[in-house]
Amino acid sequence: MPHRVLLADDDRAIRESLVRALDLEGYQVTEVADGVSALATARQGAFDVLIIDVMMPGVDGLGVCRVLRAEGDQTPILMLTARVETPDRVAGLDAGADDYLPKPFELDELLARLRALLRRSSVEAGAVAPRTVRLGELVVDPAARRAWWRGTELSLSKTEFDLLELLVRNAGIVLDHSTIYQRIWGYDFGSDSKNLAVYIGYLRRKLEQAGATELIHTVRGVGYSVRPS
């Protein structure tokens, strides 16, 4: 059965070219041109992945993400954006997007990211949830997908939680960038990608706001590790 994709972009040329390309790849695509239609369509159908542009009339892509996540919809979201500055990427990730792709982009990269999101979703759906993990004052519950620092719950996005769990399960071990990309995204975006750095920075801020300072350590040129603070 083909994977069902919801594509939301107000640029007609981009929509038409992506629909043709995705159709050739065997995807079943539903296209909409604005955020209001994206929300209505997402609520009506069971989609495997959503491709949402940030800049759309009415409700923008960030608004679409926030509303769907607030309603409990955990469908993987790939956000398309012409904004490439770090604060803009952080805004998208914080809104609930699982990945972002700056415009203009290569079709092969978009297809690779879609495959990675679908692989992650498939693995998570069939996985048996492991037991609670503790690291000092940090408690991570994979079954409930919740985490606490000294009893205070952390508000984490889906990918932030996955990243924290991976680091905590490998406490004291330096995980290189390639390993983290493969384990979290199912695809190595290469040394030029800022995806991981954005998530690490945002995760650090949330931990520090809860009082967990110096928990995530950077090993320059290699990767990241966590140690009890």
Side-chain angles (χ1 to χ4, degrees):
M1 185 174 179
H3 289 295
R4 296 192 61 199
V5 178
L6 173 60
L7 170 63
D9 197 311
D10 65 326
D11 189 316
R12 181 177 177 180
I14 290 178
R15 272 200 329 273
E16 291 180 346
S17 63
L18 282 179
V19 168
R20 286 195 299 270
L22 292 171
D23 183 64
L24 288 173
E25 292 292 323
Y27 292 97
Q28 182 180 335
V29 186
T30 300
E31 58 173 304
V32 296
D34 58 74
V36 173
S37 298
L39 283 171
T41 307
R43 288 164 175 158
Q44 292 171 0
F47 293 93
D48 298 300
V49 65
L50 312 180
I51 303 175
I52 302 176
D53 183 43
V54 171
M55 301 298 292
M56 292 189 295
V59 180
D60 65 11
L62 298 180
V64 172
C65 286
R66 291 191 186 99
V67 171
L68 291 177
R69 294 306 189 228
E71 293 176 348
D73 190 329
Q74 294 301 313
T75 305
I77 296 176
L78 172 61
M79 182 164 284
L80 305 180
T81 176
R83 299 173 174 176
V84 296
E85 298 300 320
T86 297
D88 297 314
R89 291 195 298 269
V90 168
L93 300 175
D94 188 35
D98 296 279
D99 197 3
Y100 66 89
L101 188 60
K103 295 180 177 179
F105 52 82
E106 295 291 337
L107 178 60
D108 285 346
E109 183 173 7
L110 181 140
L111 293 173
R113 295 194 183 204
L114 277 185
R115 290 192 295 269
L117 287 175
L118 289 168
R119 281 197 300 271
R120 285 174 54 196
S121 180
S122 176
V123 168
E124 289 167 2
V128 175
R131 297 178 179 178
T132 298
V133 184
R134 295 176 181 271
L135 178 67
E137 301 291 334
L138 179 66
V139 178
V140 178
D141 184 348
R145 296 191 65 79
R146 300 170 69 185
W148 298 264
W149 173 261
R150 293 180 178 173
T152 299
E153 185 167 2
L154 305 173
S155 177
L156 304 175
S157 70
K158 178 178 181 295
T159 303
E160 289 167 355
F161 181 88
D162 291 340
L163 180 57
L164 179 63
E165 182 190 355
L166 175 64
L167 291 171
V168 171
R169 286 192 176 280
N170 293 275
I173 299 172
V174 179
L175 298 178
D176 60 63
H177 298 89
S178 179
T179 296
I180 297 175
Y181 274 128
Q182 291 289 354
R183 294 284 295 277
I184 300 299
W185 284 273
Y187 176 74
D188 187 351
F189 297 116
S191 58
D192 293 333
S193 174
K194 297 186 182 298
N195 245 23
L196 181 54
V198 169
Y199 271 108
I200 288 290
Y202 207 60
L203 185 55
R204 269 193 178 122
R205 283 192 289 275
K206 289 189 175 182
L207 287 166
E208 289 171 358
Q209 287 169 3
T213 59
E214 299 182 1
L215 187 67
I216 300 177
H217 299 264
T218 301
V219 180
R220 294 192 179 279
V222 182
Y224 302 95
S225 69
V226 295
R227 297 191 296 273
S229 57

